[in-house]
Amino acid sequence: EMQLVESGGGLVQPGGSLRLSCAASGFTFTNYWMSWVRQAPGKGLEWVAKIKEDGSEKYYVDSVRGRFTISRDNAKNAVYLQMNSLRDDDTAVYYCVKFGGAYFDYWGQGTLVTVSS
Amino acid sequence: QSALTQPASVSGSPGQSITISCNGTSSDIGGHTSVSWYQQQPGKAPKLIIHDIDHRPSGVSLRFSGSKSGNAASLIISALRAEDEADYYCCSFTASVGYVFGTGTRVTVL
């Protein structure tokens, strides 16, 4: 059974850092791009970042470029999101998502990040 | 890049069909075949229900179908059931941003 399990969320002050992790299982991890998508409380979905199968290509939405870094460890079947210089508007549930080519075909349950003083 | 435009809410009675629209531009929906739809039930993660405009993943009900015309896409839910109550989001690839989601539509079964 396919599983994506996120961890690392929590409360952080503005300007702080947090590293999210996502453990993948139930599929051949090295065959797929992976992505992070976030959802602010009561709001819609926003694509954040994606990373190629071998980690050689990474793309970001403008609002996080230069502050967030996506990475992966294929030996551990894991993908990460390092978030620096966090702002209030980064508060959201962050979903780890398997990328099926041009669409988000399997989602984790999400981890909540709250940026507040 | 603004979010794709969807109606805030759509409702229907059990057994009826409803259509959710998703309006974009020539830079997103109009320029690509990478249009997808997601269902999000309360308190749960989104689930892919349509990809590449009109393709259903394995296990998704035949009652869900998608289409596209020009800069707009549509999701049709036929034979509406109580279990279809959820939020629905469209999504399109766009060269400028990467991927842009719709504003979301709350479906209510009367």
Side-chain angles (χ1 to χ4, degrees):
Chain A
E1 181 192 357
M2 199 178 304
Q3 273 200 316
L4 295 169
V5 180
E6 302 94 336
S7 60
L11 176 64
V12 60
Q13 292 188 337
S17 298
L18 213 54
R19 188 196 195 208
L20 305 183
S21 300
C22 171
S25 61
F27 64 99
T28 305
F29 184 71
T30 52
N31 285 356
Y32 294 94
W33 287 69
M34 295 295 294
S35 189
W36 289 93
V37 175
R38 67 184 179 183
Q39 185 171 35
K43 303 295 184 181
L45 301 169
E46 180 182 38
W47 170 73
V48 174
K50 68 175 183 179
I51 184 168
K52 195 175 180 180
E53 297 95 327
D54 62 359
S56 62
E57 295 181 34
K58 306 173 185 182
Y59 299 91
Y60 303 90
V61 69
D62 285 350
S63 59
V64 309
R65 190 175 294 115
R67 299 188 300 123
F68 289 13
T69 302
I70 188 171
S71 61
R72 64 192 294 163
D73 184 337
N74 286 346
K76 295 183 178 179
N77 281 7
V79 62
Y80 307 99
L81 187 67
Q82 176 67 43
M83 304 185 295
N84 299 329
S85 303
L86 282 161
R87 310 186 306 218
D88 290 351
D89 62 359
D90 292 319
T91 294
V93 173
Y94 284 74
Y95 294 102
C96 174
V97 192
K98 175 175 167 283
F99 199 62
Y103 47 89
F104 306 95
D105 69 350
Y106 190 78
W107 301 60
Q109 286 307 300
T111 186
L112 176 62
V113 172
T114 303
V115 183
S116 175
S117 53
Chain B
Q1 174 75 47
S2 300
L4 306 174
T5 303
Q6 298 180 232
S9 62
V10 173
S11 61
S13 299
Q16 285 187 329
S17 292
I18 61 171
T19 299
I20 301 171
S21 60
C22 173
N23 292 298
T25 68
S26 58
S27 297
D28 39 67
I29 293 176
H32 304 281
T33 59
S34 306
V35 178
S36 52
W37 289 88
Y38 304 85
Q39 176 194 63
Q40 186 177 31
Q41 293 179 319
K44 294 194 173 182
K47 172 190 172 185
L48 175 70
I49 56 173
I50 294 287
H51 67 86
D52 297 307
I53 300 175
D54 58 3
H55 290 71
R56 267 183 312 276
S58 173
V60 172
S61 173
L62 296 175
R63 298 184 300 105
F64 294 95
S65 61
S67 66
K68 177 187 127 170
S69 178
N71 296 337
S74 297
L75 174 70
I76 303 97
I77 309 176
S78 57
L80 201 60
R81 296 180 181 176
E83 68 208 49
D84 298 330
E85 277 208 346
D87 292 329
Y88 292 82
Y89 294 91
C90 59
C91 180
S92 174
F93 174 78
T94 167
S96 60
V97 174
Y99 294 86
V100 60
F101 285 91
T103 49
T105 299
R106 174 70 53 88
V107 168
T108 302
V109 181
L110 302 171

